[in-house]
Amino acid sequence: MSSLLYALGKLCYRRWLLVMGMWLGVLAITGAAALALGNGPKDVFRIPGAESMDAFQTLQHTFPEIAGANGQMLVLAEDGGDVTAPEHREAILAMVTDLKGVDQTVMILDPWDELLNTRDTISPDKSAAIINFQMNTSVEQILPSTQRQLEALAEEHTTEDLHFLAGGGAYGPQPPKIGISEGIGVAVALLVLAFTFGSMVAAGLPLISAGAGIGVAMAVVWIATKWLTITTTAPFLALMVGLAVGIDYSLFVLARYRDELAKGVEPEEATGRAVATAGSAVVFAGVTVMIALVGLLVTTIPFLAFMGIAAAIAVFTAVVASLTLVPAMFGLLKGRLIPKPPKVKKPKKSGKERHTLASLWVGAATKYPIVTIVVVGAGLVALALPALHLRLALPDNGTAHHGATQREVYEKIGEKFGVGYNSQIVMTGDIVQSREPFELIDEIKAEIMGLDNVCSIPIATPNPPDGDTMVIQVTPCTGATDQETFQLVDDLRALAQDLGVKYAEFQLDPQVTGMTAAAVDIAVKLQWAVLPFGILVIGLSLILLTMVFRSIAVPIKATVGYLLSVAASFGVVTAVFQDGFMAEQLNVVSVGPIVCFLPILLMGLLFGLAMDYEVFLVSRMREEYVHGNDAHAAIKTGFTASYKVVMAAALIMIAVFAAFEPHGDSVTQPIAFALAVGVFIDAFLVRMTFVPAVMALLGDKAWWMPQWLDKRLPAFDVEGEGVNHQLELTDWPYIGAHHGIHADRIKLADREGVALYGPVSFEVAPSEVTLVRGLTSTARTALALTIGGRVNLTEGKLKVANFVVPQQMLMMRSSVSVIRLNDEEDPVTAVREALNSKTKVLVVDGLDTVASAEDKDVVLAEIREHAHTSGVAALVTLSRETLEGLGVSDPSIRVLDLQTSRVTPLGAPVTEGAPA
């Protein structure tokens, strides 16, 4: 991959105008499509198949008047007035009449309606009354014009004595707002970048790249709203995550580019190396984050899965921008990003070495590693303790912004009628088999009143006019997010089962629905989803990091650090948003239970971000260790070389996430805060403190891995070692090397370490033909597939058609043709077709499998003729018997014996020849 990225970086540098034009074109096209197609996000929190959802859908067909959103017009009498006074009653009834003319309303019930109990519509002190009205649609489909009509009516009817407020289900959750704080976050990121690079020009590049990536991502998400129901949180989350990782990924590529420039490398070459090395790590980090986000699909909760997919799209565009747009901007600026040479600091008079922040930090962390591990671990566990009483809930009007009308109505109703009024639960069921529906409903109502925590039943009625469906509205004594209310939902469902048995003759099958019941269903669903998602994330972490670092201890240590970061983040969020610690100073919108999908969302996001820092820090330590430094020196050298960029990246992420906190809603605010806290904890406490201490404690054991496992695991080159190997062989075996085959002690072994062939060295120049004999047919085929770029060699150096193997295997395939004659019905035609293509190297395997001796001679003659005329380098495998039976005797054709590793002219005695 690093070789492909190397070529991509250089291509984007040379074609910078085309690449930047393509980005502008994509931005314009997706932006226009978003404006033309997008319907906008809608806050729909549903779980297909849940009891509450099934019951709600049934009500939409059987009792549509009550299946829609339940709006409320709250009436407050000023200065202790009585809403039941004749003049006030007349004003309330006038409001009821006017509400009938509001769009999307279907059923208006005045406080004295016969379907209701006045104790549920008029407060005990008679200072407040509620006009209930049903909407003909769900809350997310209520039009803004309808809400404006309600607000206009409330203002019109409000007098000095009576105050009207519209609220309830006529208003859904408010979308998050973008304010000045987000701009401050970007400004902080710019300052961090300017300080890191010492250049405002360099500092601006990551912001441009991130802006382009997030622009495309947001447009794609907006387009998707035409066909998918996406919550308002999804684009907000995509914007937040995309902006943060977009800046960070571009930062890593830019930092490596300037490092190469500082070494005196030409800008174009420096671009290729930067994209190949830092870009490899960016791809790994980005893929890890995307897998974790898309992994939210395991929850089988659509709105949560769409959040993950939207954020994954933003991460994808950030990766693409950092790998294409950033090198294109390097091409635009040419050498103007060359850093100024660092000032040479005079040595201390005492002669002691000067200590940098990095050396002091890593020195303190690793001096007494056990102490560091215990202190950091204990501190994070202490931060995690508040999470033990974490409570989860869905957003409602009580979590709307301060000052919002729906929140004021919610709080006033709770104050006047009890907190349970805002958390009503509905039981519904088919009663078509009952001859006396009112009597049956009264019996069920009595059963419900016998349950704990039931304050009242405002509505208990069959649907008009058919009377085949019952609706019983239950008001608990506690709030929607209280544990007692959740328990009441469970009790009602248990009662529903008993009622089904008791009234089996009526085929009664009651179901429990409503927002409170839906919250319980979602909480249960998420609770069951946490385990498989956790297994996915932790398993993914162990597998990927084992592939990258070729170690057992490093992935385990990284995963333990991730779990500590997640637990501590949960604890801090619980303390602030649920317990109210520093809530006022942090402008917390709502103190209470945390939005129910935050834990699993935070697990996914923080996993990806944690792996970023793990890779960028520890991969540099591994690089130093592999290059000969002892384990402890590798920790310090690797930390010192990478800490500055990692610290800058973490500070930028914290600034971006924190900037979204002040203007967020009850959903996005805790998510932004949790990510900012999580990144701080993971970057500074875990990756930059806990990790070096563990590495120092383990020493050389940190890099141990069983040999059998090392051979079976695929390698993932995040340090760009592959492109370094490619660059080393650029002028090998000599400057201007031909487009033939150059092999130096190449060898291929199976998984058990048994050599199939080699080590063997040889060279095939253009216009030359070399026949390969000896060993087994399997060995000869293995060599043919290696030369053809289909199998990776175990050791040695190999260039085919001037491409380095294995780094450029994919690119070389367009110049190398491989023909396996045992798979061809007409070998002569197959060879002729291959020779007519734009082939620079031809590999023919299994000449001995051609049945006819005449065909063998024809095939070889065709290859020799084409090699002479077209300059193709040809390699043909055959058995010793086939070689001896050939009717061709041409000294210009050479024979390579795999067993002796000797090359002889065709027709020479087998024992003759010189080493290759």
Side-chain angles (χ1 to χ4, degrees):
M1 184 181 68
S2 60
S3 294
L4 292 174
L5 293 176
Y6 174 78
L8 176 64
K10 297 185 74 172
L11 177 65
C12 292
Y13 180 94
R14 292 193 301 270
R15 302 286 186 266
W16 62 269
L17 185 59
L18 174 63
V19 173
M20 295 180 75
M22 290 174 65
W23 268 99
L24 287 173
V26 171
L27 277 168
I29 293 170
T30 55
L35 292 174
L37 300 175
N39 294 328
K42 297 174 182 177
D43 282 316
V44 181
F45 301 102
R46 294 178 181 169
I47 301 180
E51 179 181 326
S52 57
M53 296 297 106
D54 292 342
F56 179 78
Q57 290 173 355
T58 300
L59 277 178
Q60 286 181 316
H61 296 290
T62 61
F63 204 161
E65 295 86 358
I66 204 167
N70 172 234
Q72 296 165 334
M73 184 68 74
L74 179 63
V75 188
L76 298 173
E78 300 292 343
D79 300 327
D82 183 355
V83 293
T84 63
E87 66 277 11
H88 291 163
R89 179 168 180 159
E90 184 179 344
I92 292 172
L93 293 175
M95 169 62 83
V96 171
T97 301
D98 288 348
L99 281 172
K100 294 177 182 179
V102 175
D103 297 337
Q104 297 184 290
T105 58
V106 291
M107 185 171 67
I108 296 93
L109 300 176
D110 66 64
W112 299 275
D113 192 284
E114 60 182 9
L115 287 177
L116 304 172
N117 192 323
T118 54
R119 68 181 180 183
D120 295 309
T121 56
I122 298 175
S123 64
D125 62 359
K126 298 183 180 181
S127 65
I130 295 177
I131 303 172
N132 288 287
F133 54 93
Q134 291 297 131
M135 314 301 293
N136 62 6
T137 187
S138 55
V139 62
E140 69 273 4
Q141 294 178 323
I142 295 174
L143 301 173
S145 59
T146 299
Q147 294 173 344
R148 288 194 293 270
Q149 289 180 52
L150 291 171
E151 291 164 5
L153 275 180
E155 185 177 355
E156 178 185 335
H157 283 263
T158 295
T159 65
E160 293 183 359
D161 298 325
L162 281 184
H163 189 195
F164 290 85
L165 291 170
Y171 294 83
Q174 291 179 309
K177 301 176 181 178
I178 303 297
I180 192 173
S181 62
E182 285 76 15
I184 295 174
V186 174
V188 171
L190 181 62
L191 290 175
V192 172
L193 290 167
F195 178 78
T196 302
F197 296 119
S199 164
M200 289 301 293
V201 174
L205 299 190
L207 297 181
I208 296 172
S209 173
I214 200 62
V216 172
M218 293 295 289
V220 171
V221 172
W222 207 264
I223 292 169
T225 61
K226 179 174 178 60
W227 299 279
L228 302 174
T229 302
I230 298 175
T231 65
T232 55
T233 307
F236 189 88
L237 186 66
L239 173 63
M240 182 168 56
V241 173
L243 187 59
V245 300
I247 295 174
D248 273 12
Y249 292 167
S250 302
L251 162 65
F252 293 130
V253 175
L254 176 60
R256 193 59 180 256
Y257 173 66
R258 283 167 61 86
D259 286 346
E260 295 295 331
L261 290 178
K263 297 175 185 176
V265 180
E266 290 297 317
E268 181 179 338
E269 180 66 20
T271 301
R273 295 184 184 184
V275 176
T277 51
S280 295
V282 164
V283 170
F284 173 81
V287 169
T288 304
V289 178
M290 285 186 281
I291 291 175
L293 290 169
V294 175
L296 292 171
L297 288 168
V298 304
T299 63
T300 66
I301 299 175
F303 72 82
L304 187 56
F306 291 150
M307 284 185 200
I309 292 172
I313 291 171
V315 175
F316 174 77
T317 56
V319 171
V320 174
S322 66
L323 299 179
T324 57
L325 183 56
V326 170
M329 289 189 286
F330 294 164
L332 170 65
L333 296 172
K334 304 303 180 193
R336 279 176 280 179
L337 292 175
I338 298 176
K340 297 177 182 179
K343 296 180 180 179
V344 179
K345 295 183 179 180
K346 296 180 179 179
K348 289 186 176 181
K349 293 181 179 180
S350 60
K352 294 183 179 180
E353 181 184 355
R354 286 183 175 272
H355 291 289
T356 62
L357 174 61
S359 63
L360 291 172
W361 189 313
V362 71
T366 57
K367 186 174 184 179
Y368 302 105
I370 294 180
V371 175
T372 302
I373 293 168
V374 171
V375 170
V376 173
L380 295 179
V381 169
L383 288 176
L385 290 177
L388 294 175
H389 61 272
L390 173 67
R391 291 187 294 122
L392 304 174
L394 278 176
D396 55 25
N397 285 341
T399 60
H401 288 283
H402 291 288
T405 302
Q406 59 264 46
R407 177 160 180 168
E408 184 179 357
V409 171
Y410 185 97
E411 292 174 346
K412 285 291 184 181
I413 288 177
E415 177 187 330
K416 297 291 185 179
F417 294 88
V419 292
Y421 202 97
N422 291 310
S423 52
Q424 291 174 335
I425 308 163
V426 175
M427 180 181 284
T428 183
D430 184 354
I431 56 172
V432 69
Q433 300 295 329
S434 172
R435 295 181 181 178
E436 299 293 339
F438 286 97
E439 291 183 8
L440 177 60
I441 290 174
D442 286 341
E443 291 176 13
I444 295 174
K445 179 179 176 181
E447 295 261 14
I448 294 174
M449 287 301 299
L451 297 177
D452 293 337
N453 198 36
V454 176
C455 261
S456 65
I457 298 181
I459 297 177
T461 182
N463 61 320
D466 300 328
D468 57 5
T469 302
M470 71 169 185
V471 172
I472 301 176
Q473 193 176 70
V474 182
T475 302
C477 301
T478 50
T481 58
D482 292 333
Q483 186 59 42
E484 293 84 355
T485 304
F486 277 43
Q487 182 60 49
L488 177 57
V489 173
D490 292 339
D491 293 343
L492 284 169
R493 286 179 169 159
L495 176 62
Q497 292 183 354
D498 295 340
L499 292 172
V501 175
K502 183 176 180 179
Y503 298 103
E505 59 183 300
F506 302 138
Q507 298 181 10
L508 182 65
D509 184 21
Q511 292 179 300
V512 178
T513 185
M515 283 299 297
T516 304
V520 173
D521 289 339
I522 292 175
V524 171
K525 187 78 171 180
L526 285 169
Q527 182 179 349
W528 283 104
V530 165
L531 181 59
F533 183 72
I535 292 173
L536 170 70
V537 167
I538 294 173
L540 182 68
S541 170
L542 291 171
I543 293 170
L544 289 177
L545 292 178
T546 302
M547 289 166 51
V548 170
F549 295 119
R550 323 307 288 180
S551 163
I552 297 296
V554 170
I556 294 174
K557 171 265 307 169
T559 304
V560 170
Y562 159 72
L563 293 174
L564 286 172
S565 298
V566 168
S569 300
F570 285 164
V572 175
V573 170
T574 303
V576 173
F577 287 87
Q578 181 176 299
D579 300 339
F581 176 72
M582 293 187 68
E584 185 176 346
Q585 291 85 342
L586 293 170
N587 192 36
V588 172
V589 171
S590 177
V591 175
I594 310 299
V595 60
C596 58
F597 47 82
L598 182 143
I600 200 166
L601 196 62
L602 180 61
M603 286 175 65
L605 284 168
L606 196 56
F607 165 72
L609 301 179
M611 294 307 103
D612 288 1
Y613 302 128
E614 179 75 18
V615 168
F616 287 114
L617 271 174
V618 181
S619 62
R620 196 61 179 264
M621 297 178 188
R622 178 178 179 271
E623 185 179 345
E624 296 294 331
Y625 181 78
V626 170
H627 290 168
N629 282 325
D630 68 78
H632 291 84
I635 294 169
K636 295 179 180 179
T637 306
F639 184 94
T640 303
S642 55
Y643 94 101
K644 190 175 181 180
V645 174
V646 171
M647 182 180 289
L651 289 174
I652 288 169
M653 277 204 176
I654 292 168
V656 171
F657 291 143
F660 282 86
E661 193 271 344
H663 291 93
D665 59 6
S666 59
V667 176
T668 57
Q669 198 178 55
I671 292 174
F673 180 81
L675 287 173
V677 169
V679 168
F680 174 82
I681 290 173
D682 194 83
F684 293 100
L685 299 182
V686 174
R687 306 302 155 190
M688 295 178 68
T689 307
F690 180 81
V691 165
V694 175
M695 300 286 286
L697 185 64
L698 293 173
D700 291 324
K701 295 178 181 178
W703 305 111
W704 175 82
M705 186 178 190
Q707 199 170 27
W708 63 267
L709 182 60
D710 188 32
K711 291 179 180 179
R712 284 165 173 76
L713 278 179
F716 202 113
D717 181 17
V718 297
E719 295 118 357
E721 291 180 0
V723 78
N724 290 333
H725 179 255
Q726 175 187 333
L727 294 173
E728 289 172 3
L729 299 186
T730 298
D731 295 326
W732 176 82
Y734 45 80
I735 296 175
H738 57 64
H739 286 274
I741 304 170
H742 305 275
D744 181 17
R745 297 189 61 79
I746 64 171
K747 175 182 176 181
L748 179 66
D750 61 19
R751 288 188 174 184
E752 304 303 323
V754 178
L756 296 175
Y757 68 79
V760 60
S761 301
F762 62 93
E763 182 177 293
V764 183
S767 302
E768 289 186 353
V769 178
T770 295
L771 307 180
V772 179
R773 72 178 179 201
L775 297 180
T776 64
S777 61
T778 301
R780 295 193 296 271
T781 298
L783 177 67
L785 294 178
T786 304
I787 302 302
R790 273 61 174 177
V791 175
N792 193 3
L793 70 165
T794 305
E795 61 182 59
K797 296 188 295 185
L798 177 63
K799 287 180 76 172
V800 181
N802 231 5
F803 292 104
V804 177
V805 178
Q807 282 72 35
Q808 295 178 294
M809 283 172 60
L810 291 177
M811 290 179 281
M812 65 176 271
R813 289 182 183 179
S814 61
S815 302
V816 180
S817 294
V818 179
I819 303 174
R820 300 193 63 187
L821 294 178
N822 58 338
D823 296 333
E824 301 291 342
E825 294 182 3
D826 187 351
V828 175
T829 302
V831 170
R832 285 172 177 167
E833 289 178 352
L835 295 176
N836 288 330
S837 64
K838 297 179 180 179
T839 299
K840 293 179 180 177
V841 172
L842 174 66
V843 180
V844 180
D845 178 44
L847 184 62
D848 48 288
T849 63
V850 178
S852 166
E854 183 181 354
D855 283 348
K856 291 175 183 175
D857 291 342
V858 171
V859 167
L860 188 57
E862 291 276 355
I863 294 171
R864 182 70 191 107
E865 179 65 25
H866 190 78
H868 272 306
T869 58
S870 302
V872 171
L875 186 79
V876 183
T877 71
L878 73 175
S879 65
R880 183 183 296 270
E881 293 76 14
T882 298
L883 178 64
E884 293 173 351
L886 287 175
V888 179
S889 180
D890 186 345
S892 68
I893 299 177
R894 302 194 304 165
V895 179
L896 167 66
D897 193 315
L898 279 181
Q899 191 165 2
T900 62
S901 192
R902 289 178 176 271
V903 175
T904 59
L906 179 62
V910 174
T911 55
E912 295 180 5

